[in-house]
Amino acid sequence: MPMYLNHPFDFSPNKRPTPPVLDFIPAEKNPVGSYRRDFEVPDDWDGRDIILHFGAVKSAMYVWVNGQSVGYSQGSKTPAEFDITPYLQKGPNTLAVEVYRWSDGSFLECQDFWRISGIERDVFIYATPKTRVRDFKVNAGLSENYTNGVFSLELDIQSQQKSTGLQASFQLLDGNKEIIQSSMPLKVKNHKANVVFNHNIKNVKKWSAESPNLYRLVISLKNKDNELIETFGENVGFRSVEIKDGQLLVNGQAVLVKGVNRHEHDPVTGHYISKELMEQDIRLMKEYNINTVRTCHYPTDPYWYQLCDKYGLYVINEANIESHGLGAALQAPYDYHIADDPAWEKPHLDRIERMYKRDKNHPSVIIWSMGNEAGDGVNFVKAYKWLKSQDTRPVQFEQADNKRHTDIVCPMYATAEEMENYARQTDIYRPLIQCEYAHAMGNSVGNLQDYWNLIEKYPALQGGCIWDWVDQGILSKDKNGNDYFAFGGDLEKPGTRNDNNFCINGLVSPVREPNPHIYEVKKVYQNISVTKGHRAGQFFIKNKFFFSNLNKYNCEVSVLVDGKITHTSHFTDLNIAAQSTEAITVKLPEDSKKDVYVNFSFVLKDDDGLLKKGHEVAKEQILIANAAPKVGIHAEGKLKVKESEKGWNIKTETSSLNFDKTKGTFTNLSINGKEYIQEGPQPDFWRAPVDNDYGYGMVKKMGVWKEQDKKATVSNIEVSQEKGMLTFKVSKRMEDVFGDFISTYKINGKGIIQVDHYIHFDPNRKTVSIPRVGSQIRLNKDFNQTQWYGRGPHENYADRYTSAFMGTYQSTVDDMYYPYIRPQSNGYRMSVKWLTLNNGAHGLKIEARNQLGIQAQYYEHDDYGNEPKKQAHHQYDMKKRDYIVLNLDYGMAGIGGDTSWGATPHLIYQLLRREYSWGYTITPF
């Protein structure tokens, strides 16, 4: 049974284990999976050792071959291998495996993901000669000037036969060109031999995430007759990794970690990940400018490291250790922890040693991580010392905080203020790289640019890894047979503790479709920036890459006037070295009184690894001139006005509408009997809570704003009329928040409506900040086709907009809605100057006095659920209304992104208590 939990143990979800902790592993109610299959060994494998390989099994297993016990293993994310040669027979053989859901190893496997047990990676057999290379270690570093390669190869040979005259050799190839070839005789003693090769290579091609140059290493064993016993190959990348002068250096450069955490998750197969899905993941990461992956919170499938070596991703390789159910350092207090219990030293070190020994030869692995939220103590101090005795790469451990057994200060979810506080210290000898930050749960990843403004300001700050890569939804069927993505509480037995949708926090969906916030990640993580120079038309292009010239990119420049492209130019001869800046000149309109922007797009000239020719690696938009605010409408045309007890009926030359005295707004705007607007602007101060809102208790803290559209009462209406113009000034009292919502409606004889809203508050009262300051209109459902001039094309918010450029965009109301797995506020667009909604022939045009935030959808706030405590809503709960709900806002508060359990949007992105004014015109057509 799948269970989703964050930090409790799934075998004891409601109680933290206390010593003796092993008593908490169920002795009788411990689910077991039994696996059995037959296989045959090829005849030409005779005389060789047959090895049975399990890539990953959770949590523990017993293995039998032909009814004979072969062995036991635990540790669910590193391989287990058994020499089954003595147990085999001619013809069919039977393999049987008994997998236990829980073992004492489960205390070290309390990760924040679906708790699923079973065989999770490939199972296979392979044959080896009796004399073979049992292990090898490659060191492919750089000289002190980072120019030449320093190569060493250590071979550990095992021989089960009396062998003389053995010879070990290797070749190092650059494509088909041999760079080094060397051989050495072996001295076998006690069936073992060890040999070390050392070589230097001048002007070696260096490996980095930007330029993943690989050499091919071929290792061979030959007998005394020069006959080949064994040969195999491995990719080798030359690079150096070190902590120097308080910074993480790769090949001598203080690279920035533009990272993400990646759980292994498939919406159908769970923790089993196909090669095709891994290839898709790495292609998407490269497309979205991610350069680092943290293997949270366990070593991942071996094929992933091959891909990272080949295509260029830095890897923070993490041991399969998390004992969060006993508590975590730097969080809530705990009294006992296995991290500080010497009796648990071997289980801790075993997992770290297995990780290191499996993955030590991958150039992509630049940092070792000893685990996640696992407490801290003597066992990690010893593990750190062991790793440092084996390898020169940095070791990090978040739970160590600032103690000596971490080479990198790697907090999770440190605030911008905390990061800057660290960066301003005078005794820094280690960098700060967040192991987790920017919690991407639901509609999130606000203020990412603010983090990176700091990171690029201070040398001690070198980035971090966003939490996390993929929404961990499991593809399921609702009661009507429709697909949906399940999260905590959907698949467990009723009453089972779960952590709701806390597993839905990815940059991509379970099927790897980009969630909207990944566009902001791509923009913030890009490696090219453009700034405006001092002279008209001058722009500075900065190459933020550490090893790459910009000569493999074309720069395409567009000049936009009021959202329309008026001029384009192309720069095809960029030659800007890494970490350098050069100027270009672009022709601009002269003395424009319109909006003028210049867009820059940097695209690949040719295919580059997984990225195709024409792929955009970076973009920028620079404001040149901003148009003045719109002037109001003029008196024109003819009006007929008839007052009744309920309000006024107004007929213009093109339309008819009612103005309701009780509601204080117009209703039933129609043209030729066709209803355009059901109900005109009403105050709206609410948004359907995003996950981050629930995290800091927005519904409870700001709930007073939710019903103000209904609670606000009309206190006064002033009506005036002149030739060709009718004006209503409506005052609504909002007693609960000690304020007034004042709206002025001007309607001319051509049927154009000018709306101006103004809010002020009593000077002797305080109110909480506001989720939204806006107005809401309900429109004909057929006005589904949209076009706007503003930020787009994807949704954007006060704290997540740098990737959404000003421009003219087309969409539909349906497509402006984004179906987050747990429904929540979505589809917002900012800085909108004008907007049309139509049915293909008729509709409405809305023009902002200055600019608006807009949201058009078929749902009311209540359709999402606004309960004080988050409920498990799904997309199948969303039922479309028979009208369009259109928000025309001054603005909406940022969506946040620091955490989803308490952090509010940054103060600069909140709507504080003060006066607000905005306006727009509505023109039917």
Side-chain angles (χ1 to χ4, degrees):
M1 179 185 73
M3 294 175 64
Y4 170 63
L5 289 166
N6 176 8
H7 57 79
F9 292 113
D10 47 332
F11 55 82
S12 183
N14 299 309
K15 185 178 180 180
R16 176 181 292 185
T18 54
V21 293
L22 292 180
D23 291 350
F24 282 78
I25 298 291
E28 298 179 358
K29 295 183 178 180
N30 189 352
V32 175
S34 296
Y35 303 81
R36 178 186 170 116
R37 68 164 297 163
D38 294 333
F39 66 97
E40 293 190 21
V41 176
D43 291 338
D44 58 2
W45 285 14
D46 281 351
R48 299 165 72 85
D49 290 334
I50 312 302
I51 309 299
L52 171 63
H53 174 100
F54 291 87
V57 179
K58 183 177 176 70
S59 147
M61 65 174 172
Y62 291 94
V63 179
W64 290 267
V65 173
N66 295 326
Q68 300 181 73
S69 176
V70 172
Y72 169 87
S73 179
Q74 64 186 50
S76 65
K77 293 296 185 180
T78 41
E81 293 190 336
F82 303 90
D83 184 348
I84 59 172
T85 311
Y87 308 97
L88 296 174
Q89 59 192 23
K90 290 287 186 181
N93 291 269
T94 300
L95 170 65
V97 183
E98 192 173 68
V99 178
Y100 285 78
R101 178 158 194 158
W102 298 308
S103 66
D104 59 357
S106 299
F107 278 96
L108 296 165
E109 296 176 355
C110 188
Q111 288 94 346
D112 173 13
F113 65 166
W114 284 98
R115 311 298 175 86
I116 305 171
S117 59
I119 298 174
E120 298 185 336
R121 292 183 190 151
D122 290 341
V123 180
F124 55 86
I125 58 173
Y126 65 95
T128 70
K130 295 294 184 180
T131 298
R132 66 186 181 100
V133 177
R134 182 178 176 274
D135 194 12
F136 69 99
K137 180 178 180 180
V138 176
N139 280 319
L142 300 175
S143 59
E144 289 186 2
N145 62 2
Y146 308 107
T147 300
N148 302 322
V150 179
F151 177 82
S152 73
L153 171 64
E154 181 178 353
L155 301 181
D156 177 9
I157 289 99
Q158 175 180 291
S159 178
Q160 298 180 33
Q161 302 168 327
K162 289 185 177 180
S163 302
T164 58
L166 293 176
Q167 179 176 270
S169 66
F170 82 92
Q171 287 178 293
L172 193 67
L173 304 172
D174 181 7
N176 294 321
K177 180 182 178 181
E178 184 178 270
I179 305 300
I180 308 174
Q181 193 282 330
S182 185
S183 301
M184 194 175 293
L186 298 178
K187 295 180 180 180
V188 179
K189 185 177 181 180
N190 297 325
H191 302 288
K192 295 179 181 180
N194 185 271
V195 63
V196 178
F197 299 91
N198 292 289
H199 290 271
N200 293 328
I201 306 168
K202 289 186 176 181
N203 299 314
V204 74
K205 295 179 181 178
K206 295 182 282 291
W207 185 97
S208 69
E210 296 175 23
S211 301
N213 296 304
L214 292 173
Y215 292 82
R216 187 64 178 171
L217 172 66
V218 179
I219 298 171
S220 302
L221 283 181
K222 293 182 179 180
N223 62 20
K224 62 182 180 179
D225 298 320
N226 205 36
E227 297 171 332
L228 190 66
I229 299 173
E230 181 183 39
T231 187
F232 59 91
E234 179 85 355
N235 287 330
V236 172
F238 285 84
R239 56 98 184 96
S240 66
V241 186
E242 59 191 322
I243 304 294
K244 186 176 181 181
D245 297 328
Q247 291 184 297
L248 170 70
L249 304 185
V250 174
N251 301 343
Q253 295 292 315
V255 299
L256 296 179
V257 171
K258 300 179 177 182
V260 69
N261 285 272
R262 175 184 174 269
H263 265 304
E264 292 183 311
H265 179 79
D266 183 287
V268 176
T269 59
H271 292 168
Y272 177 80
I273 311 298
S274 68
K275 288 185 175 181
E276 292 77 15
L277 189 56
M278 285 186 266
E279 291 163 359
Q280 184 179 7
D281 276 349
I282 200 164
R283 177 180 57 79
L284 286 168
M285 289 181 185
K286 297 295 287 188
E287 286 179 357
Y288 288 96
N289 292 328
I290 291 164
N291 73 358
T292 304
V293 64
R294 177 182 178 226
T295 66
C296 63
H297 299 294
Y298 40 80
T300 193
D301 188 285
Y303 186 61
W304 179 253
Y305 302 83
Q306 296 175 31
L307 293 173
C308 293
D309 292 344
K310 181 177 180 180
Y311 295 113
L313 274 185
Y314 299 125
V315 175
I316 301 171
N317 203 22
E318 188 152 276
N320 182 26
I321 299 176
E322 179 167 348
S323 45
H324 204 168
L326 292 171
L330 313 174
Q331 297 180 21
Y334 56 80
D335 296 319
Y336 167 82
H337 210 293
I338 58 176
D340 205 35
D341 184 346
W344 284 81
E345 176 187 323
K346 187 174 181 179
H348 283 80
L349 264 66
D350 173 71
R351 289 164 184 257
I352 289 170
E353 290 177 16
R354 288 165 71 178
M355 169 189 70
Y356 168 76
K357 290 179 178 179
R358 192 196 72 168
D359 300 330
K360 60 183 178 294
N361 294 323
H362 288 285
S364 57
V365 176
I366 65 166
I367 299 169
W368 303 108
S369 171
M370 295 193 291
N372 194 46
E373 293 157 309
D376 192 25
V378 295
N379 296 327
F380 286 105
V381 173
K382 290 191 175 182
Y384 172 83
K385 291 179 179 178
W386 184 87
L387 269 172
K388 299 303 288 186
S389 73
Q390 301 295 310
D391 199 67
T392 60
R393 279 167 280 198
V395 175
Q396 74 173 43
F397 186 47
E398 179 267 338
Q399 296 279 274
D401 194 18
N402 283 294
K403 293 195 274 296
R404 294 284 178 172
H405 55 289
T406 179
D407 298 324
I408 296 168
V409 177
C410 53
M412 52 176 64
Y413 309 106
T415 65
E417 293 80 8
E418 290 169 334
M419 291 174 65
E420 187 164 22
N421 178 279
Y422 179 87
R424 290 170 60 88
Q425 304 305 308
T426 59
D427 57 347
I428 293 172
Y429 65 96
R430 296 173 290 187
L432 186 151
I433 302 172
Q434 295 225 55
C435 68
E436 296 175 20
Y437 81 119
H439 199 260
M441 185 176 180
N443 188 356
S444 187
V445 197
N447 50 260
L448 186 67
Q449 184 65 62
D450 298 338
Y451 273 114
W452 277 84
N453 290 343
L454 275 178
I455 290 166
E456 294 182 332
K457 178 180 178 181
Y458 291 103
L461 306 179
Q462 288 188 253
C465 296
I466 292 170
W467 186 267
D468 64 333
W469 173 242
V470 60
D471 287 329
Q472 295 177 58
I474 293 180
L475 189 62
S476 305
K477 298 284 187 182
D478 67 15
K479 61 183 179 181
N480 297 316
N482 299 314
D483 289 344
Y484 80 101
F485 291 115
F487 49 73
D490 290 329
L491 304 179
E492 299 88 341
K493 292 180 180 178
T496 303
R497 178 172 174 175
N498 66 84
D499 282 309
N500 203 283
N501 68 318
F502 204 69
C503 58
I504 307 298
N505 36 36
L507 297 180
V508 297
S509 77
V511 293
R512 273 51 177 187
E513 293 176 351
N515 286 328
H517 42 222
I518 199 173
Y519 302 115
E520 190 77 357
V521 173
K522 179 178 180 179
K523 174 64 169 61
V524 174
Y525 276 8
Q526 70 185 25
N527 292 295
I528 306 172
S529 68
V530 183
T531 53
K532 188 163 57 173
H534 299 297
R535 300 194 306 271
Q538 182 187 57
F539 298 91
F540 290 104
I541 300 175
K542 181 175 182 180
N543 180 356
K544 294 185 177 182
F545 287 104
F546 288 91
F547 308 103
S548 306
N549 194 298
L550 296 190
N551 55 14
K552 62 182 178 181
Y553 306 106
N554 287 327
C555 176
E556 301 173 357
V557 181
S558 303
V559 178
L560 282 76
V561 177
D562 282 349
K564 297 180 180 178
I565 296 175
T566 61
H567 174 73
T568 60
S569 54
H570 303 272
F571 295 85
T572 59
D573 56 352
L574 296 178
N575 185 23
I576 306 174
Q579 296 292 297
S580 298
T581 301
E582 291 191 10
I584 63 170
T585 301
V586 176
K587 184 179 179 181
L588 300 176
E590 296 181 2
D591 301 324
S592 176
K593 294 183 180 180
K594 300 178 179 180
D595 282 353
V596 180
Y597 289 88
V598 181
N599 287 357
F600 298 83
S601 176
F602 298 87
V603 300
L604 279 168
K605 293 180 179 179
D606 301 294
D607 291 353
D608 185 15
L610 292 168
L611 304 180
K612 300 300 182 183
K613 176 183 178 180
H615 170 74
E616 185 179 67
V617 298
K619 66 178 184 177
E620 195 60 80
Q621 184 175 72
I622 305 293
L623 171 65
I624 304 300
N626 214 341
K630 285 279 184 180
V631 178
I633 64 173
H634 304 289
E636 57 180 330
K638 296 180 180 180
L639 285 162
K640 292 182 180 180
V641 182
K642 184 178 180 180
E643 184 177 3
S644 67
E645 182 180 346
K646 292 183 178 180
W648 295 265
N649 177 259
I650 303 124
K651 294 188 183 299
T652 73
E653 293 178 357
T654 59
S655 63
S656 83
L657 65 155
N658 296 319
F659 199 95
D660 191 290
K661 290 181 178 179
T662 302
K663 294 181 178 179
T665 190
F666 60 84
T667 60
N668 307 112
L669 189 154
S670 302
I671 296 178
N672 296 325
K674 176 75 170 179
E675 184 178 66
Y676 280 45
I677 298 178
Q678 291 186 9
E679 183 174 274
Q682 291 282 20
D684 188 17
F685 301 100
W686 195 246
R687 71 155 170 235
V690 300
D691 287 315
N692 294 339
D693 292 333
Y694 273 115
Y696 73 84
M698 184 193 82
V699 180
K700 294 180 181 178
K701 293 177 180 178
M702 301 180 185
V704 67
W705 292 105
K706 180 179 179 297
E707 303 291 341
Q708 288 308 309
D709 60 325
K710 300 179 181 66
K711 290 185 176 182
T713 58
V714 176
S715 58
N716 187 52
I717 300 179
E718 298 177 10
V719 185
S720 61
Q721 186 173 0
E722 58 181 293
K723 185 178 180 180
M725 182 78 79
L726 177 65
T727 301
F728 295 92
K729 184 176 181 181
V730 181
S731 297
K732 292 184 177 182
R733 180 62 182 172
M734 303 180 293
E735 197 61 47
D736 290 351
V737 294
F738 312 108
D740 295 285
F741 188 92
I742 300 169
S743 301
T744 301
Y745 301 91
K746 292 182 177 182
I747 306 165
N748 71 17
K750 297 296 184 181
I752 304 173
I753 304 170
Q754 177 182 325
V755 183
D756 291 285
H757 299 299
Y758 170 68
I759 303 172
H760 75 81
F761 296 96
D762 299 347
N764 58 337
R765 293 289 188 271
K766 290 184 177 182
T767 55
V768 295
S769 61
I770 315 170
R772 181 202 302 263
V773 173
S775 57
Q776 194 177 84
I777 300 175
R778 290 166 179 80
L779 309 179
N780 186 305
K781 66 178 181 180
D782 295 332
F783 294 162
N784 185 48
Q785 298 181 36
T786 62
Q787 186 178 34
W788 73 96
Y789 169 45
R791 292 197 176 275
H794 51 270
E795 64 179 37
N796 46 91
Y797 301 88
D799 53 0
R800 200 184 83 207
Y801 67 87
T802 68
S803 60
F805 287 1
M806 291 292 293
T808 302
Y809 303 100
Q810 288 185 319
S811 186
T812 65
V813 172
D814 287 311
D815 289 342
M816 291 178 78
Y817 176 88
Y818 187 76
Y820 288 99
I821 291 175
R822 188 196 73 79
Q824 54 200 278
S825 187
N826 69 88
Y828 206 66
R829 269 77 174 177
M830 292 172 47
S831 305
V832 174
K833 299 293 186 79
W834 57 259
L835 161 74
T836 64
L837 299 99
N838 65 86
N839 60 8
H842 304 287
L844 299 166
K845 182 173 185 178
I846 296 156
E847 295 177 275
R849 183 210 306 162
N850 191 351
Q851 59 184 26
L852 296 168
I854 67 163
Q855 189 176 35
Q857 55 187 321
Y858 286 103
Y859 305 102
E860 299 277 7
H861 297 320
D862 285 342
D863 295 331
Y864 292 89
N866 291 285
E867 303 87 351
K869 185 177 181 181
K870 186 195 299 183
Q871 303 298 310
H873 296 289
H874 298 78
Q875 284 298 326
Y876 60 70
D877 295 312
M878 301 298 288
K879 309 301 180 187
K880 289 174 68 171
R881 303 276 182 159
D882 62 353
Y883 52 85
I884 293 169
V885 180
L886 174 65
N887 268 87
L888 301 171
D889 300 339
Y890 172 89
M892 189 163 71
I895 41 89
D898 291 358
T899 73
S900 301
W901 53 90
T904 63
H906 289 193
L907 188 64
I908 59 174
Y909 304 120
Q910 295 181 27
L911 293 167
L912 304 178
R913 177 195 180 280
R914 64 175 179 82
E915 295 182 352
Y916 293 94
S917 175
W918 72 105
Y920 44 89
T921 60
I922 303 172
T923 304
F925 62 89

